[in-house]
Amino acid sequence: MKKTLMALAVAAACPALALAEPRVVDTDRNVFIPAEEDARAVLRVAAVYNDEDFRIHYEYETDTPSWYHQVWRYEDGEWVRYGSGGPGPDEHGLYEDRISMMLDDGKVEGFDRMGGWITAHDGMRSLTSEVDADAVREHPKLGGDLGRSDVRKYLPQTRVTEDPEEVSWDQVIDDEALEQLQSDGVFLDLWQWRSHRSHPMGYADNNYVLHYRLSSEGTSMFTTNWDDDADQPAWMFDPEQVGAPALEWEALIAREYGQDDAYYIHEGNAIAFDPDHDWQEGDVIPQRFLREPSGSRGAIRADGGYEDGAWRIALTRTLEAPNARDSKTLEHGASYNVAFAVHSAAGARWHLVSLPMTLGLEDGEADIVARRVDGDLDEADLEWTEVEVFYPGQITYQFLHSDDHPGGTLVREGEKGVRDQHDLDTLPGFIVDMEQQLLRDAD
């Protein structure tokens, strides 16, 4: 009954995001296992480069695109936040679509074999094993230095133990060792295209993974639209430009604001929030305030949009790393390990991921070959690769090395990777079986 009610609630609240009935839902344990037809898809990828720049193209077909994100809604005299990062898709469709790529130049041990699962660990947010927020806040590094209250992606090399099954979120190596890893380039370059928080400003978000999922150097293209002291939004729409100080709730959840409308608030269409305005029930102001980024954080330019049933996006960055401490330089003839992920109006781990793959700059042996062109990248012919993406479940780095994983011995020996032992006909089903077994074992 709980599963059916969740599926109906999502469909009723936001018909455009209606999904098939999920297989298992248990929100108390961060569980939302999608229906088989919603648990896999195809991301098309093509790449080109010239003497200065590298460009990666994405095409992702979807009938339910979301360029909305979290908002403040006025109700009963207060501003209430809507838009959830999980479990599963947001019930109102108030979470942005995203396409991500993690890239490694061979320095992160095991990424070529395990892909994104090397960054997924017991205790992370949105897992059934999620660590209590107070424990993270009290941690000297994650809570003290980073100011965090949850555990996110990290590399096993940033933890003390050498035993993969014993890697723990709280055993972070000392600052000197972290500094050495970062200086040596032992991190994953993370390109995150965000349909709401970055794309309207013409960028993708530049991040990296070391002992946490970290932001690259510079100023972000988004910040929180909230005034803590006044307990109200900091900005509202400029009525002279937009026509009204706020969006309308009913129009928003009916998805009536198009890509050319003012569905996002930014430094070019906003004025300071006026608490004395005659605010009406259902007035909506975006929870994120967009702005021009700086530094390495703003190094990846984004073009394109949703057209003819698909996101058609192009991301462009210089071949040379904007900052060698958070980004990777791309070189002609070299090959890199990559893994992709697609979020559809959902946050955290409720996404689809690819197997680890290789991206080569004119390396014909790579899975995805970036073609070199002379001159303008806009004129380049594209060679597309179909990348299958699927639901990753609650599979973690620790589980992959354990006896609970049928291939644990091969993983521990370090000779076999996920592509050696699994094919895409059976792997998605195997992952769901493993997650359900983990849940049963925890009962």
Side-chain angles (χ1 to χ4, degrees):
M1 177 63 72
K2 190 173 186 179
K3 176 171 69 173
T4 302
L5 289 176
M6 171 62 79
L8 291 174
V10 171
C14 186
L17 293 182
L19 301 173
E21 184 175 317
R23 282 173 276 192
V24 182
V25 174
D26 184 344
T27 55
D28 291 338
R29 296 200 291 175
N30 285 328
V31 177
F32 187 104
I33 302 178
E36 186 172 354
E37 55 264 46
D38 295 320
R40 59 193 308 165
V42 172
L43 172 68
R44 299 183 73 225
V45 178
V48 292
Y49 67 101
N50 57 22
D51 289 339
E52 299 294 331
D53 293 325
F54 171 87
R55 177 174 295 169
I56 190 163
H57 291 260
Y58 297 134
E59 284 189 359
Y60 184 74
E61 293 185 1
T62 175
D63 295 329
T64 59
S66 176
W67 44 83
Y68 305 147
H69 202 57
Q70 296 157 329
V71 299
W72 298 110
R73 177 186 175 185
Y74 191 71
E75 52 186 59
D76 298 327
E78 296 182 352
W79 291 95
V80 180
R81 197 182 88 165
Y82 282 82
S84 168
D90 181 72
E91 63 175 329
H92 299 108
L94 297 178
Y95 214 87
E96 66 184 355
D97 287 355
R98 286 181 282 158
I99 302 175
S100 303
M101 175 181 70
M102 287 189 288
L103 182 148
D104 166 50
D105 54 2
K107 294 178 180 175
V108 176
E109 183 180 347
F111 183 72
D112 60 332
R113 297 188 297 117
M114 287 173 272
W117 284 288
I118 201 172
T119 70
H121 298 275
D122 295 346
M124 284 177 53
R125 66 169 182 162
S126 79
L127 294 179
T128 298
S129 63
E130 181 178 37
V131 175
D132 181 75
D134 287 340
V136 181
R137 292 189 189 99
E138 292 170 3
H139 189 271
K141 189 64 179 178
L142 303 188
D145 290 354
L146 299 183
R148 301 294 186 173
S149 60
D150 58 19
V151 179
R152 302 194 186 183
K153 292 181 175 69
Y154 66 81
L155 300 183
Q157 288 156 280
T158 65
R159 267 44 181 188
V160 173
T161 182
E162 295 182 2
D163 183 346
E165 290 187 74
E166 298 300 323
V167 168
S168 179
W169 69 273
D170 57 338
Q171 298 298 313
V172 184
I173 59 178
D174 62 39
D175 288 349
E176 183 178 353
L178 283 174
E179 169 64 27
Q180 190 62 56
L181 286 178
Q182 190 168 7
S183 298
D184 291 343
V186 183
F187 59 83
L188 294 174
D189 197 348
L190 174 57
W191 298 26
Q192 280 202 87
W193 173 80
R194 302 175 181 270
S195 65
H196 184 106
R197 284 179 283 181
S198 70
H199 187 75
M201 300 305 293
Y203 296 92
D205 200 357
N206 195 20
N207 307 139
Y208 67 105
V209 180
L210 184 59
H211 57 293
Y212 202 81
R213 193 195 75 194
L214 300 164
S215 299
S216 298
E217 169 272 331
T219 302
S220 170
M221 64 288 300
F222 64 89
T223 188
T224 301
N225 183 21
W226 190 252
D227 184 333
D228 287 326
D229 294 333
D231 199 32
Q232 64 189 23
W235 303 91
M236 67 184 195
F237 288 107
D238 181 354
E240 293 187 5
Q241 295 189 59
V242 178
L247 306 175
E248 298 178 5
W249 175 257
E250 295 300 330
L252 181 67
I253 62 172
R255 315 193 72 71
E256 295 178 7
Y257 295 103
Q259 293 173 94
D260 295 327
D261 297 325
Y263 64 90
Y264 61 96
I265 193 166
H266 65 101
E267 53 193 2
N269 70 358
I271 58 175
F273 180 81
D274 180 5
D276 297 323
H277 176 78
D278 184 20
W279 296 104
Q280 301 297 306
E281 291 290 311
D283 280 345
V284 170
I285 296 176
Q287 194 255 349
R288 299 294 184 175
F289 181 79
L290 307 190
R291 61 193 181 184
E292 190 71 16
S294 68
S296 182
R297 188 78 185 266
I300 306 169
R301 305 183 300 279
D303 293 294
Y306 183 77
E307 182 180 4
D308 297 330
W311 283 113
R312 304 176 191 277
I313 304 299
L315 306 184
T316 308
R317 200 209 74 184
T318 57
L319 289 171
E320 184 177 357
N323 185 329
R325 291 177 57 80
D326 58 41
S327 304
K328 302 290 187 179
T329 290
L330 303 173
E331 298 181 353
H332 172 74
S335 186
Y336 302 86
N337 302 310
V338 293
F340 300 93
V342 178
H343 285 78
S344 296
R349 70 177 180 85
W350 288 280
H351 60 334
L352 305 180
V353 305
S354 77
L355 296 175
M357 304 179 71
T358 52
L359 167 67
L361 277 63
E362 284 292 1
D363 178 355
E365 300 299 317
D367 299 311
I368 302 167
V369 178
R371 294 302 183 191
R372 188 187 184 284
V373 299
D374 293 320
D376 194 340
L377 293 180
D378 292 337
E379 306 300 322
D381 293 328
L382 301 180
E383 180 179 313
W384 291 95
T385 299
E386 292 194 348
V387 177
E388 294 193 56
V389 290
F390 51 92
Y391 172 67
Q394 296 202 47
I395 303 300
T396 65
Y397 177 80
Q398 290 86 349
F399 168 79
L400 290 174
H401 290 84
S402 73
D403 290 335
D404 292 330
H405 176 213
T409 300
L410 295 173
V411 176
R412 288 193 296 271
E413 291 173 351
E415 297 179 357
K416 299 291 185 179
V418 61
R419 293 179 67 176
D420 298 312
Q421 296 301 114
H422 296 280
D423 62 72
L424 282 169
D425 290 332
T426 60
L427 180 58
F430 172 79
I431 285 174
V432 169
D433 289 344
M434 289 297 98
E435 179 169 0
Q436 292 176 319
Q437 183 61 52
L438 289 170
L439 294 172
R440 286 191 292 269
D441 291 344
D443 286 337

